[in-house]
Amino acid sequence: MAVPKRKMSRSNTRHRRAQWKAVTPQLTTVTVDGVPYRVPQQLARAYERGLLRPES
């Protein structure tokens, strides 16, 4: 595991952390009981199999 050799300044720490960005999930259309829903692509199979219920 990497261990820092020296203390990192507060400014450098905050600049590094500021680079992180959240990514919106990629949505796909899934038809459940004849009604189309927009759901995240990773969860599409779960909705098709009935493991998750879409919100009305």
Side-chain angles (χ1 to χ4, degrees):
M1 183 172 124
V3 178
K5 193 162 189 170
R6 290 187 171 42
K7 181 177 180 178
M8 192 174 206
S9 71
R10 179 181 290 177
S11 176
N12 283 344
T13 300
R14 290 183 176 165
H15 278 284
R16 178 177 40 86
R17 287 183 180 162
Q19 298 303 314
W20 183 87
K21 305 260 186 319
V23 178
T24 57
Q26 193 174 15
L27 299 178
T28 58
T29 305
V30 174
T31 305
V32 180
D33 298 331
V35 181
Y37 293 98
R38 300 278 290 163
V39 298
Q41 186 176 4
Q42 290 182 323
L43 300 176
R45 276 216 183 117
Y47 282 102
E48 290 171 353
R49 294 177 181 171
L51 300 174
L52 295 173
R53 295 177 188 235
E55 297 172 8
S56 299

